[in-house]
Amino acid sequence: IHLVKYCANVQKMVVTDGDNYKRMWVNDTLTKYDQRATLDDNQGWRLINNRHIQMGGHTAILELDDEILLGTDYLGGTNFLLRTTDFVSFRRTVVPDPYRHSIFQRLLSVQAGNDRHLWAWLDNMAVRKGSNAKGLLMYSQDNGQTWTKFIEYDGTHHWQWVVSSSDDVLDYLLVMVDGKTFRIEYV
């Protein structure tokens, strides 16, 4: 199990799993958590996808005012940022090289004065010297339409970890680099 999340703006519970399954399940009625929904009875868990090729395997989720972002976990494969408003239709954006092999570890929202910034941490546990893969901490000032690189790393000199993990919109971000924690604040 990668995620268990209640999405308030669509009033649905979401569960995702990974490894060889990479499925997403949604409970639309918030009932019968112990069974699968059927066509006759939509109560319980509705399977969104059957295989990883259908864009499953989500390790990060962020609920915005009008849509939900999901990041994938295809370590060694091509990763995507998906957008949905209803868990029926999805729009996807491919993560470009050299980060496309890095999985989404976190998606966060940080309040910056009157603006909201989205932060995404893409990590590649396979980064090693001589590898083309890179990890990345990036942010967006336009709800994820465009992204700006904040910290890039390849694991040869430094490693990083985003400590912040909150459903609430915060006014800071905690990042650990080589075992030291830094607080990124908006003034």
Side-chain angles (χ1 to χ4, degrees), residues 22-79:
K22 300 202 183 303
R23 296 172 297 193
M24 180 191 307
W25 299 84
V26 174
N27 192 309
D28 298 306
T29 59
L30 303 176
T31 60
K32 298 189 180 176
Y33 292 106
D34 60 343
Q35 71 183 41
R36 187 172 179 166
T38 65
L39 292 176
D40 297 331
D41 180 10
N42 192 34
Q43 296 182 16
W45 294 101
R46 177 172 52 93
L47 182 61
I48 301 297
N49 65 323
N50 291 317
R51 296 175 303 280
H52 69 281
I53 199 157
Q54 296 172 314
M55 298 295 106
H58 304 96
T59 48
I61 188 169
L62 180 61
E63 192 172 9
L64 303 175
D65 295 333
D66 56 351
E67 66 183 345
I68 296 162
L69 303 181
L70 296 140
T72 59
D73 78 329
Y74 302 131
L75 184 60
T78 299
N79 282 284

Side-chain angles (χ1 to χ4, degrees), residues 6-185:
Y6 172 70
C7 294
N9 64 356
V10 291
Q11 297 179 342
K12 298 178 188 301
M13 182 68 85
V14 179
V15 172
T16 68
D17 56 26
D19 298 328
N20 295 325
Y21 297 105
K22 300 202 183 303
R23 296 172 297 193
M24 180 191 307
W25 299 84
V26 174
N27 192 309
D28 298 306
T29 59
L30 303 176
T31 60
K32 298 189 180 176
Y33 292 106
D34 60 343
Q35 71 183 41
R36 187 172 179 166
T38 65
L39 292 176
D40 297 331
D41 180 10
N42 192 34
Q43 296 182 16
W45 294 101
R46 177 172 52 93
L47 182 61
I48 301 297
N49 65 323
N50 291 317
R51 296 175 303 280
H52 69 281
I53 199 157
Q54 296 172 314
M55 298 295 106
H58 304 96
T59 48
I61 188 169
L62 180 61
E63 192 172 9
L64 303 175
D65 295 333
D66 56 351
E67 66 183 345
I68 296 162
L69 303 181
L70 296 140
T72 59
D73 78 329
Y74 302 131
L75 184 60
T78 299
N79 282 284
F80 301 88
L81 183 65
L82 279 76
R83 298 173 173 276
T84 186
T85 57
D86 55 9
F87 288 97
V88 173
S89 60
F90 296 86
R91 294 184 336 265
R92 68 180 179 184
T93 304
V94 175
V95 175
D97 277 332
Y99 315 108
R100 74 180 179 96
H101 297 298
S102 300
I103 67 173
F104 280 87
Q105 294 282 13
R106 297 266 195 290
L107 287 167
L108 297 163
S109 182
V110 177
Q111 193 66 34
N114 293 330
D115 298 323
R116 181 189 301 186
H117 291 182
L118 306 183
W119 287 82
W121 172 37
L122 287 83
D123 191 34
N124 191 320
M125 295 167 274
V127 291
R128 59 194 175 280
K129 194 169 189 169
S131 170
N132 191 32
K134 296 191 184 302
L136 175 69
L137 178 61
M138 61 183 180
Y139 67 93
S140 173
Q141 297 173 302
D142 57 8
N143 273 346
Q145 301 301 319
T146 60
W147 294 88
T148 301
K149 182 183 348 179
F150 186 74
I151 297 174
E152 175 187 275
Y153 65 99
D154 65 4
T156 58
H157 300 291
H158 304 286
W159 59 272
Q160 73 177 33
W161 188 267
V162 174
V163 180
S164 293
S165 178
S166 175
D167 287 337
D168 296 329
V169 177
L170 303 174
D171 60 356
Y172 64 91
L173 180 71
L174 296 176
V175 177
M176 184 180 290
V177 178
D178 290 339
K180 296 178 183 161
T181 303
F182 298 92
R183 182 177 169 125
I184 300 169
E185 290 191 43

